[in-house]
Structure formats: C-alpha cells, structure tokens
Amino acid sequence: MIIMYHYVRLSDSFTSKVNNFYDFDLFKRNILELLEDGKVFLDPKSLTIEQWLEVADDQDNIVLTFDDGYIDHARLVAPFLAEIGVHGLFFVPAKILVTREVLLVNKIHLLLNKFKGREAYLMDHLIQYLNQIEQISTDYISELKTKYFKKGKYDDAGTNFLKRVFQKKFDSRRLSLFCESFLDDEPINFDLLRDELYMSSDDFRSLQEQGHSLGLHGFNHHYLSSLSKAKQKIDFGESIKVFREFGISQDLLVAYPYGDYNNETLDICKEIQIKAGFIDNRNNTKAHCPNLTLPRIDCNDFFINH
Ligand SMILES: [Zn+2]
C-alpha cells in the first residue's frame, strides 16, 4: 500500500490554526504496530516501475508518502523514521522553497478552521463572492447547493459545501484574496505563518541527505487540469528546475496537487520521463498509464480499516 499523509502534528501545537491534522503520537503508534505485524516499509528510492505497480496493491509492503512540504515532516516525522530505519517519500510544492508564499490550499484550511461552527456565515459570503466576483449565475449556485450541501464522510453539510466549492477551479488569485480578506481581521501574519507551516530549504536538503526521496508536487500547487498544456508544462518545468538546483538527481516522481490531472498532464509526464505519478484514490486510475496514476490511500482511511 502507498499511504498518504498531509499534516502530521503534535496535538497540542497549532490546533488553533488547522484541525485536519494526523496526531504525531498516533502516527508513531500506527507505524510501530505495522512493524510488529511484520509489514515491510519499502525504500521509495530503490523501486522500479514494476515494483511501484505491485506495492500499490500489496497489503504487506508499504511506502509512506507525505504531501505539501510541512515543517513537521522534516522536524517530527523524519527523525522518527530515522530511529526505525525507514525512508519516506516527501512531495514538496517547489514554491515554498523559493518564494515561501502561503499556498491557497493552506489558506482554505485556515479559513475553514477559523469559521468552525459558523459555516453558514462563511457560506453566505462565499456565495456572494461567487455571484459578484466570479459572475456565477444564481441557477448554477442553486445547483452547487443541491449537489454539495450534504453531510460528507467526515464533514457536516456546511463544511462539505465549502470544501467542495473551494475545490472548484475558480481563479486562484482571486480566491486567494477572498480567503485573505476573511483571515486578516485577526492578526494572522503570513510571513510568520509560512515558517510555522512549511519546511525550510535546509530541512529539504537534510531530508535528501538522510536518504529520503523527494517528489514533485507542482510549483504553485494548482489544479493541473484547470491549466492549458503549455501552462502545465511551465509549472512542471519550474518545479523541476528548483529540484535540480537542490541537486536532486533521482528519477522524477510526482503527486499531482489535489490528485487532479488530465490526459495532457499524462502526456507531459511521458515527455519529461516521470517515472511514477501518484493520485489520491483508486477511482481515478488510468489503465493505459498505470505507473502515472498510482493510487494512494489516505492515512485516515487506512488506519480505520486496520
Ligand atoms: Zn497537496
């Protein structure tokens, strides 16, 4: 199995800012239990394409992957993995290593957390924004409500609606400004926040020195399928350039941001010889490109079933 993690944090830190994190102590317990059960953690560096295809379906062999370049991956997860002799695969959006701008995906998490219990208020404003700024018709908004204002697997109806609508591919710069406008009445300092959220370039280098694998996760962490092929290519090119500047010479691996890709993404991956591409669920694989659509299982789903 290829397990996917996002935030892994100490439960007493940062809880006021994000709530969708996996508790670090629980993470450690899970991994130690899997080791006791005789599961084998494979080193992602040494896997061939055939082995990647096998491990995606294998219950006994496991690869651990961590998305988004969070600081806790470098400061908590990696030291623990070193203790037990396991190597992980870390997918890092290159932008956080260069401009260190807070990504839209994280602004949305902050916003959802800040408005916990007041989802209806945020929903009203999001609808106004869709209507006035994005010029979305009232009919389409009603359609979105019918479709998404429903209790989800982990979320109540309001949160589910917000998450699903935020995941629509609206203009990311405008949506980012919308999020900021709701975050800035509280002293959220984005300069401080980015250092609280993301690993530094030294952390990135150190993961590499410790023998972990580093994979691409977009430059801007955009929905790739919302971009033209030319723009997708630029995004890939920018992140590869940063990785090469850090001296990463290993085979290229990519986790598409949000698990989102289209046929043009796959064409680009073939052109630039990406060895393996990862998504976030089993329903979205492509039989003609299995190594570029390797399914991962979210840690929350994996450990509920074990
Ligand atoms: Zn991501």
Side-chain angles (χ1 to χ4, degrees):
M1 305 303 283
I2 308 170
I3 307 180
M4 167 179 72
Y5 291 88
H6 288 89
Y7 298 101
V8 181
R9 297 201 148 245
L10 290 170
S11 50
D12 60 350
S13 77
F14 210 68
T15 40
S16 60
K17 298 206 178 99
V18 293
N19 53 45
N20 53 341
F21 67 92
Y22 204 82
D23 178 69
F24 177 58
D25 290 316
L26 183 59
F27 164 78
K28 285 197 288 191
R29 273 206 309 278
N30 292 155
I31 302 296
L32 294 173
E33 275 169 25
L34 291 175
L35 277 174
E36 273 170 32
D37 286 351
K39 308 284 185 203
V40 175
F41 291 92
L42 301 180
D43 185 345
K45 238 190 343 289
S46 58
L47 300 182
T48 61
I49 290 179
E50 291 67 33
Q51 285 171 318
W52 273 119
L53 293 170
E54 274 166 30
V55 73
D57 284 318
D58 189 336
Q59 297 289 334
D60 296 320
N61 291 312
I62 292 171
V63 172
L64 299 175
T65 71
F66 303 87
D67 285 17
D68 294 344
Y70 296 125
I71 190 167
D72 305 272
H73 299 164
R75 309 277 174 96
L76 293 175
V77 171
F80 168 69
L81 294 182
E83 271 172 41
I84 56 167
V86 169
H87 285 126
L89 168 54
F90 296 83
F91 290 107
V92 180
K95 193 178 204 173
I96 68 154
L97 301 168
V98 186
T99 70
R100 293 191 67 67
E101 199 180 302
V102 175
L103 301 170
L104 176 60
V105 60
N106 299 118
K107 287 181 186 165
I108 292 172
H109 293 157
L110 293 164
L111 198 60
L112 288 170
N113 192 56
K114 182 173 166 185
F115 286 89
K116 216 167 175 32
R118 292 184 292 152
E119 286 84 6
Y121 172 84
L122 186 57
M123 230 176 104
D124 285 347
H125 283 273
L126 180 62
I127 288 168
Q128 269 179 36
Y129 158 84
L130 294 177
N131 200 274
Q132 290 164 11
I133 311 289
E134 295 292 338
Q135 316 258 302
I136 307 277
S137 71
T138 318
D139 282 353
Y140 184 50
I141 290 174
S142 307
E143 202 183 297
L144 290 174
K145 271 195 191 159
T146 317
K147 222 163 145 189
Y148 298 133
F149 191 70
K150 285 181 190 154
K151 203 178 155 357
K153 197 161 150 201
Y154 300 113
D155 301 310
D156 60 56
T159 310
N160 198 40
F161 175 84
L162 288 163
K163 278 192 182 168
R164 301 303 289 268
V165 172
F166 278 129
Q167 281 167 8
K168 294 263 152 212
K169 298 147 194 172
F170 298 116
D171 179 278
S172 63
R173 194 183 51 82
R174 288 200 297 267
L175 190 56
S176 197
L177 287 174
F178 168 82
C179 291
E180 278 184 34
S181 72
F182 279 88
L183 290 168
D184 71 359
D185 60 325
E186 218 174 75
I188 286 190
N189 179 330
F190 284 103
D191 287 346
L192 286 179
L193 184 67
R194 63 192 192 184
D195 292 333
E196 243 178 288
L197 270 178
Y198 303 131
M199 61 176 74
S200 66
S201 35
D202 284 344
D203 289 324
F204 185 78
R205 255 183 230 108
S206 148
L207 286 175
Q208 198 189 345
E209 282 159 15
Q210 292 167 52
H212 295 293
S213 296
L214 294 154
L216 306 170
H217 196 45
F219 183 81
N220 282 300
H221 200 277
H222 280 326
Y223 283 94
L224 292 173
S225 73
S226 72
L227 304 177
S228 66
K229 186 173 180 188
K231 287 212 167 120
Q232 289 192 45
K233 242 179 154 164
I234 293 171
D235 194 83
F236 268 98
E238 283 180 315
S239 45
I240 292 170
K241 184 168 165 265
V242 173
F243 271 50
R244 296 299 186 220
E245 278 165 8
F246 276 89
I248 294 175
S249 56
Q250 65 191 44
D251 292 328
L252 293 171
L253 306 172
V254 60
Y256 315 112
Y258 311 96
D260 172 70
Y261 69 94
N262 59 13
N263 284 331
E264 291 176 328
T265 318
L266 301 179
D267 288 343
I268 295 169
C269 288
K270 281 184 223 157
E271 283 164 30
I272 59 178
Q273 297 181 327
I274 299 271
K275 185 181 195 179
F278 299 81
I279 55 173
D280 58 2
N281 71 73
R282 233 152 245 288
N283 304 328
N284 209 13
T285 55
K286 285 274 185 294
H288 66 276
C289 271
N291 66 309
L292 293 178
T293 54
L294 288 164
R296 297 184 291 169
I297 181 160
D298 188 275
C299 54
N300 291 294
D301 297 326
F302 182 80
F303 289 104
I304 281 170
N305 299 320
H306 282 74

